[in-house]
Amino acid sequence: MISAFKSFLPKTSNISDNSYKLIVLCLCTLAIVFFSLAQPLGVPRDYAPYIASFDNSRSVGWLQVLPSQYSWEPGFMLVIFVLAKAIPDNIYVFLCIVLLASAFKLALLHSISSALGYSLAMVLFFFKFFPLQDFNQLRGALAIGFLMLIYYQWTMRGNLWLAVVFSTCAVLFHYLAAAVLPFLFLANNQLALRRLYAFGFGLLLFGLIAVSQHFALRHLVEVIPRLGFYIGSGTQPAVSSYLSPVFYPEFFLLAVSAFFWKDCTDNMKRVVALQLVGFAIFYGFFEFGAIGTRIREAFSVFWLFYVADFSRVTTHLKAAILVFVLMNIALGSYLFYFSDFLKH
């Protein structure tokens, strides 16, 4: 599974570096298998609907599981249909989907980062993203994987055709991915590398959303009726306030990046610009609950690209990245591993 994704990715040359990263990748894969099968984090909130869908897919044909306008997206339904037909045990179907969702991050970051950058990115992944997304929100995690491939192919390689193909895949796995796509393509613009324009665009976007949110959502729901579910859903407790502790590490790294802007790599500047867009959408759509939350969470994953550049930056930015990762370890340990947040 990992090797299939890596065919789209660049080759690295440092043998010792690659060996170390391979060990990290294998350990991460084993951890994912353990969490998926033993489920020490608790049963995912959507686990029962997943199991029902797995069982249903075994007893019907593809035409009977084709989604209606109110059901799960067709890309996700196709994955369920194929895996459920091939694997009789539901827990292993679930494991395969979790591995598939995580494989995007593991393989892509393995190929673009140093050994230390990869290790830090994987620590961040397990304490900030995996428990909530790859283990719980499977549709969104798969869509985010394609969004990460779009960012890599477009901003790092300039490959428009693959970016467009992956864009289609992302939307087929989660319709909210469409809200992220335009900004991924804009991230390749040179203006995203200029501090004033990056922060100014975030403020402008927030203002536009605040003014037009009701009009925009009313028309979007007519096109994508499932959006009505997100409008009526509340945000999860940990991210339901304007200044949730979950945001503190991100606010910290945004501030440090703004101060040391000239020392940031182009990739890091683009990630900062995307985070500003994510927060603009979150605060702009705050009263609509899950819409702003889910979109911001999708943007938040791009911090992994920022951390992957650890070995390419100056000492003060390295220190800031370490603090950022440590802050997320503290928050993630309590929120996901010691509290009952994911258990029900």
Side-chain angles (χ1 to χ4, degrees):
M1 186 180 296
I2 296 290
S3 59
F5 285 106
K6 291 182 70 175
S7 63
F8 293 106
L9 310 176
K11 307 298 181 184
T12 48
S13 56
N14 190 314
I15 296 177
S16 61
D17 218 43
N18 283 345
S19 299
Y20 180 85
K21 289 193 293 182
L22 182 60
I23 293 173
V24 174
L25 186 151
C26 291
L27 290 174
C28 291
T29 303
L30 290 174
I32 291 168
V33 172
F34 169 74
F35 282 121
S36 300
L37 297 181
Q39 297 185 345
L41 301 179
V43 178
R45 298 177 188 275
D46 290 334
Y47 192 70
Y50 292 151
I51 297 302
S53 185
F54 300 163
D55 290 335
N56 180 64
S57 295
R58 295 191 182 96
S59 60
V60 298
W62 168 241
L63 292 179
Q64 293 171 280
V65 299
L66 280 174
S68 71
Q69 60 182 347
Y70 293 101
S71 64
W72 284 334
E73 291 81 352
F76 187 63
M77 293 301 298
L78 177 61
V79 169
I80 286 178
F81 180 77
V82 172
L83 290 176
K85 289 288 189 183
I87 304 172
D89 196 324
N90 287 331
I91 189 65
Y92 292 107
V93 177
F94 177 75
L95 168 64
C96 287
I97 298 176
V98 174
L99 281 171
L100 181 62
S102 303
F104 287 99
K105 290 89 169 176
L106 270 61
L108 179 55
L109 295 168
H110 175 274
S111 298
I112 66 173
S113 58
S114 67
L116 189 52
Y118 185 59
S119 300
L120 288 171
M122 289 299 96
V123 170
L124 181 65
F125 170 66
F126 276 101
F127 281 94
K128 185 171 177 62
F129 303 114
F130 172 78
L132 183 61
Q133 295 181 2
D134 301 72
F135 181 69
N136 269 277
Q137 302 164 2
L138 299 184
R139 292 156 46 234
L142 288 164
I144 287 171
F146 285 110
L147 293 176
M148 294 178 71
L149 284 174
I150 294 164
Y151 177 84
Y152 166 72
Q153 290 293 342
W154 178 233
T155 66
M156 296 184 178
R157 299 191 64 180
N159 192 328
L160 178 60
W161 291 110
L162 270 181
V164 170
V165 170
F166 291 142
S167 298
T168 304
C169 295
V171 175
L172 288 176
F173 277 93
H174 205 300
Y175 294 137
L176 286 182
V180 181
L181 289 176
F183 303 104
L184 292 184
F185 285 96
L186 287 175
N188 203 29
N189 191 294
Q190 291 300 306
L191 293 179
L193 304 180
R194 300 175 66 174
R195 176 170 47 193
L196 181 62
Y197 283 96
F199 281 82
F201 182 77
L203 289 173
L204 177 62
L205 180 64
F206 168 72
L208 289 174
I209 293 174
V211 170
S212 63
Q213 55 183 312
H214 292 277
F215 173 82
L217 286 178
R218 185 170 65 251
H219 286 79
L220 283 173
V221 168
E222 294 177 0
V223 178
I224 309 175
R226 188 173 177 82
L227 286 179
F229 167 79
Y230 294 102
I231 292 174
S233 300
T235 56
Q236 298 182 24
V239 291
S240 60
S241 67
Y242 278 99
L243 295 175
S244 167
V246 173
F247 299 155
Y248 295 169
E250 300 187 43
F251 290 157
F252 163 76
L253 202 51
L254 285 174
V256 171
S257 301
F259 190 80
F260 295 110
W261 190 259
K262 291 183 179 179
D263 297 324
C264 294
T265 64
D266 286 354
N267 171 58
M268 294 165 76
K269 293 174 182 177
R270 291 189 174 100
V271 170
V272 168
L274 289 173
Q275 301 311 313
L276 294 169
V277 168
F279 277 112
I281 293 174
F282 172 75
Y283 287 118
F285 285 123
F286 187 81
E287 66 177 278
F288 291 101
I291 284 186
T293 300
R294 293 290 184 266
I295 295 174
R296 195 208 66 83
E297 288 171 352
F299 279 105
S300 181
V301 175
F302 289 89
W303 281 121
L304 291 169
F305 284 104
Y306 189 107
V307 173
D309 271 358
F310 179 84
S311 299
R312 303 184 179 98
V313 296
T314 54
T315 303
H316 43 272
L317 279 177
K318 287 180 179 178
I321 291 173
L322 288 174
V323 172
F324 174 72
V325 173
L326 289 172
M327 291 173 73
N328 278 291
I329 290 175
L331 283 167
S333 296
Y334 169 73
L335 190 63
F336 301 129
Y337 295 98
F338 296 114
S339 76
D340 294 328
F341 178 69
L342 294 179
K343 297 179 175 68
H344 67 282

